[in-house]
């Protein structure tokens, strides 16, 4: 985002700008945007709620999806 001149000051802002500049333009899929948003919401719950439970199989699946998204984001950034 910095390379594209997009600045944010919050995690929520980063999620919003990802959707606006990369999902709505078709660079990333709607599913990617929903995953990014879901991960952001889960991070907030884990940080600010007293308890947060996630079954290990769901956690493993989300980690794999997040890793894939992160790799594609890096590849996209390097290709620009």
């Amino acid at each position: 985002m910095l390379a594209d001149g997009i600045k944010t000051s919050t995690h929520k802002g980063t999620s919003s700008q990802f959707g606006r500049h990369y999902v709505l333009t078709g660079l990333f899929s709607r599913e990617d945007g929903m995953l990014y948003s879901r991960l952001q919401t889960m991070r907030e719950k884990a940080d600010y709620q007293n308890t947060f439970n996630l079954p290990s199989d769901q956690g493993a699946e989300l980690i794999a999806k997040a890793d894939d998204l992160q790799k594609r984001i890096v590849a996209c950034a390097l290709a620009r």
Side-chain angles (χ1 to χ4, degrees):
M1 287 185 181
L2 288 175
D4 289 330
I6 302 165
K7 297 179 183 178
T8 64
S9 58
T10 64
H11 289 99
K12 195 75 158 177
T14 301
S15 180
S16 176
Q17 293 300 321
F18 179 75
R20 181 177 182 197
H21 293 280
Y22 302 104
V23 174
L24 290 178
T25 61
L27 199 52
F28 287 89
S29 71
R30 184 172 184 262
E31 290 77 19
D32 290 334
M34 292 184 337
L35 173 63
Y36 195 102
S37 180
R38 181 177 181 202
L39 293 169
Q40 171 60 27
T41 299
M42 292 174 76
R43 186 205 65 84
E44 289 173 357
K45 286 181 181 179
D47 282 355
Y48 300 111
Q49 291 183 358
N50 290 334
T51 60
F52 178 77
N53 294 314
L54 181 68
S56 61
D57 59 328
Q58 288 180 17
E61 182 181 345
L62 282 171
I63 289 170
K65 288 180 178 182
D67 184 55
D68 176 63
L69 178 58
Q70 184 266 339
K71 287 177 182 174
R72 289 185 291 117
I73 288 171
V74 169
C76 181
L78 292 175
R80 295 178 136 224

